[in-house]
Amino acid sequence: MCATDMIVDVEDLAKRYPPDIMAVDGISFSIESGMVFSLLGPNGAGKTTTVEILEGLRTPTRGRITVLGVDILKDYASIRGKVGTLPQNFEPFDNLKPFEAVDYWAKLFGVRKTRRDVNEMLEAVGLSERKSLLAKKLSGGEKRKLGIALSMINDPELLFLDEPTTGLDPKARRDLWKLIEDIRGGGATVFLTTHYLDEAEKLSDDVAIMHRGSIIAEGSPSELITRYGKTTVVVLEGAGMDGLTEITRRGIEATEVNGDVLVPVKNPAEMRIIFAKLSSIELPVKDMYTRRQSLEDVFLNLVGTKMDEGVLQE
């Protein structure tokens, strides 16, 4: 697909804040129609600055940015009605009910919505039974659902979701995952920023890993795992640093993560040999099993440390 067919096309985008902070440092990427694209990285990586530039809220220091075929530095107004946004720190209208909020938002943007339309939107985001409750009494996940309903009021071709599941409990996160999948299924293109590795792996057609203002890897989750991970790892649960010392002393590559020792196996044909070697070592192991590597392993291999709730564990 050529650049002119891309929903979003970014080349050498940079944002510098005085005196010398490079929040975004010369990144380039493209997004095809109908996909979920995730910008994945820790807090402070430059994700929100990037998305706010693409939303027309910030001016870049340099770069070429085309959204829906338009150079947004020259004519963002012409596409504003085709774009939906859910900002990172969205707060709904506390003293309005979800039905009232959606109806008000539609009128504010000049979008005609009948009572039936509003009810269908609330049903689509799972708020039908909560439509008459004041927004301030909604749970965190329900407030994000309401935010997504508001961001979809104009049936956008492109939807920006800036860390929509941050701070939510596991069930609320999975409810929003289902909603994002439904939005994609309806034909919209979704630009998602997140620091949740499992979220990016679950939802995304394409992932760009961002670190210190730069994109350090990009591709589908499976491509990134193949390129930067290992096909399989042997997990020695509870082996700890003592186990790591014993294993590496015998020339076996391994790492320690949260008390477990991970042994990468690059060639599946070597699996039986690795198991035999590990079984011959006296180790304080609770369990030993294999698992396929994930984006979490890719991130660890690329950045050199794990990430927890957007914070690098350095």
Side-chain angles (χ1 to χ4, degrees):
M1 184 173 285
C2 66
T4 55
D5 296 324
M6 296 293 178
I7 291 291
V8 175
D9 192 39
V10 174
E11 183 178 336
D12 194 30
L13 175 62
K15 179 62 176 178
R16 177 180 177 273
Y17 293 104
D20 57 358
I21 299 173
M22 289 298 293
V24 180
D25 192 5
I27 65 174
S28 300
F29 60 89
S30 299
I31 304 174
E32 296 180 14
S33 176
M35 70 167 14
V36 175
F37 174 89
S38 287
L39 196 57
L40 169 69
N43 299 338
K47 305 188 303 297
T48 294
T49 297
T50 299
V51 78
E52 288 181 348
I53 291 172
L54 297 182
E55 292 170 345
L57 300 177
R58 294 183 186 272
T59 303
T61 302
R62 70 169 191 270
R64 185 185 61 80
I65 309 109
T66 302
V67 177
L68 297 171
V70 171
D71 183 340
I72 64 169
L73 300 181
K74 297 179 180 178
D75 188 21
Y76 193 87
S78 66
I79 62 165
R80 194 174 298 278
K82 301 177 183 179
V83 175
T85 63
L86 179 65
Q88 183 175 357
N89 298 313
F90 168 79
E91 286 293 335
F93 306 98
D94 279 355
N95 292 314
L96 290 181
K97 300 169 184 177
F99 185 95
E100 296 170 337
V102 173
D103 184 59
Y104 170 72
W105 202 246
K107 291 175 180 175
L108 187 65
F109 283 89
V111 178
R112 176 175 168 76
K113 293 290 182 184
T114 66
R115 189 175 188 86
R116 180 177 179 179
D117 292 334
V118 175
N119 281 320
E120 287 179 350
M121 289 196 71
L122 292 173
E123 182 178 0
V125 299
L127 288 178
S128 289
E129 296 181 1
R130 310 286 277 176
K131 65 181 180 181
S132 298
L133 190 69
L134 287 179
K136 64 184 177 182
K137 295 184 178 180
L138 298 175
S139 68
E142 289 168 341
K143 288 181 179 180
R144 301 290 172 82
K145 289 179 180 179
L146 177 55
I148 290 177
L150 297 179
S151 70
M152 294 291 292
I153 202 74
N154 56 336
D155 299 317
E157 295 179 36
L158 173 63
L159 179 62
F160 290 101
L161 301 176
D162 193 5
E163 301 200 1
T165 66
T166 296
L168 300 184
D169 63 69
K171 182 183 183 305
R173 286 182 65 212
R174 282 167 175 75
D175 286 346
L176 282 185
W177 290 359
K178 174 63 166 58
L179 179 54
I180 292 168
E181 289 174 337
D182 289 345
I183 291 169
R184 179 187 184 276
T189 303
V190 179
F191 187 117
L192 175 71
T193 72
T194 183
H195 55 245
Y196 293 120
L197 296 146
D198 58 338
E199 181 166 281
E201 185 168 352
K202 166 71 174 175
L203 297 175
S204 309
D205 299 289
D206 198 22
V207 177
I209 299 177
M210 195 168 188
H211 181 49
R212 295 176 179 171
S214 299
I215 290 177
I216 59 175
E218 183 182 356
S220 69
S222 60
E223 288 171 347
L224 291 173
I225 290 167
T226 299
R227 194 182 316 153
Y228 298 104
K230 312 296 189 300
T231 303
T232 307
V233 292
V234 178
V235 181
L236 291 92
E237 186 178 338
M241 291 303 298
D242 290 341
L244 178 65
T245 300
E246 288 299 314
I247 291 169
T248 55
R249 191 165 62 86
R250 290 165 171 78
I252 300 173
E253 179 186 350
T255 56
E256 188 273 338
V257 179
N258 295 332
D260 298 334
V261 173
L262 310 181
V263 179
V265 182
K266 300 176 183 178
N267 184 349
E270 300 175 355
M271 186 68 69
R272 295 180 66 179
I273 298 172
I274 292 293
F275 261 108
K277 288 182 178 180
L278 294 173
S279 298
S280 68
I281 306 171
E282 289 291 333
L283 297 170
V285 177
K286 297 178 182 178
D287 195 6
M288 183 164 64
Y289 55 90
T290 63
R291 68 168 172 81
R292 177 179 175 269
Q293 286 212 314
S294 65
L295 276 186
E296 184 172 0
D297 300 294
V298 170
F299 187 86
L300 179 63
N301 292 339
L302 287 170
V303 179
T305 185
K306 294 190 70 176
M307 178 170 56
D308 183 26
E309 290 294 331
V311 179
L312 296 178
Q313 305 300 293
E314 295 178 319

